[in-house]
Amino acid sequence: MYKKILIPTDGSELSSATALAGVEFAKQNGIEIVGIFVAPEYQYPIYVEMIPPSYPTEEEYQTSMRKAGEIHLGAIQKAAESAGVKFSGIIVFSDAVAREIVHVAVQNSCDLIFMGSHGRSGWGQAILGSVTTKVLSTCQIPVLVHRLKKEPVSSANKK
């Protein structure tokens, strides 16, 4: 039925757990995966006349965010390789996360977006996360919203 799915991640534990569920879904259905990490665009400090020396340059920021994206997508890639599922990852910079998710899905001929009900905003919201809601309201591609049955154990709580 589906040939290629897009799995967005923001690096949060909830998003990572959802991504692993997406890999399992892809494995069970013989589906190729495109992973995406959308990093916020660089913001110049607007509250000062000069950029403070400790403030990262745009290049330093982009390098740092690319590294973070590679780490988050790397976990999905490792799971996909273990499951025998074809994987490709994309890192983009945008402050319009939902729009970028939909754009990349269309651009890569994905026929399903597999995403979590919540990301960084977590369980505190009674309704769907804002990015998920925006993707659902703007996307013509089917979206499978995965809701975890229980909150994943935080790496900070494991100690």
Side-chain angles (χ1 to χ4, degrees), residues 133-144:
T133 300
K134 288 176 186 173
V135 169
L136 285 167
S137 66
T138 61
C139 190
Q140 300 300 311
I141 299 169
V143 179
L144 192 156

Side-chain angles (χ1 to χ4, degrees), residues 136-157:
L136 285 167
S137 66
T138 61
C139 190
Q140 300 300 311
I141 299 169
V143 179
L144 192 156
V145 179
H146 181 264
R147 182 177 296 274
L148 296 173
K149 293 180 182 171
K150 63 179 186 174
E151 187 171 352
V153 177
S154 166
S155 57
N157 295 339

Side-chain angles (χ1 to χ4, degrees), residues 49-113:
E49 292 181 21
M50 288 181 26
I51 297 177
S54 61
Y55 202 80
T57 66
E58 188 168 358
E59 285 179 19
E60 291 170 334
Y61 171 78
Q62 288 186 348
T63 299
S64 173
M65 292 309 292
R66 283 191 192 287
K67 185 175 180 179
E70 289 168 3
I71 290 168
H72 301 316
L73 290 172
I76 302 170
Q77 181 175 9
K78 183 178 177 183
E81 287 172 356
S82 294
V85 175
K86 185 176 178 184
F87 175 86
S88 60
I90 298 170
I91 299 169
V92 294
F93 288 83
S94 177
D95 289 330
V97 177
R99 183 178 66 212
E100 209 55 47
I101 289 170
V102 173
H103 174 74
V104 168
V106 170
Q107 196 174 39
N108 286 272
S109 303
C110 295
D111 43 18
L112 178 70
I113 299 173

Side-chain angles (χ1 to χ4, degrees), residues 10 20 26-27 29-30 33 50 53 67 71-72 89 118 128 147 155:
D10 63 13
L20 295 179
K27 177 184 175 183
N29 295 285
I33 297 171
M50 288 181 26
K67 185 175 180 179
I71 290 168
H72 301 316
H118 298 83
L128 290 177
R147 182 177 296 274
S155 57

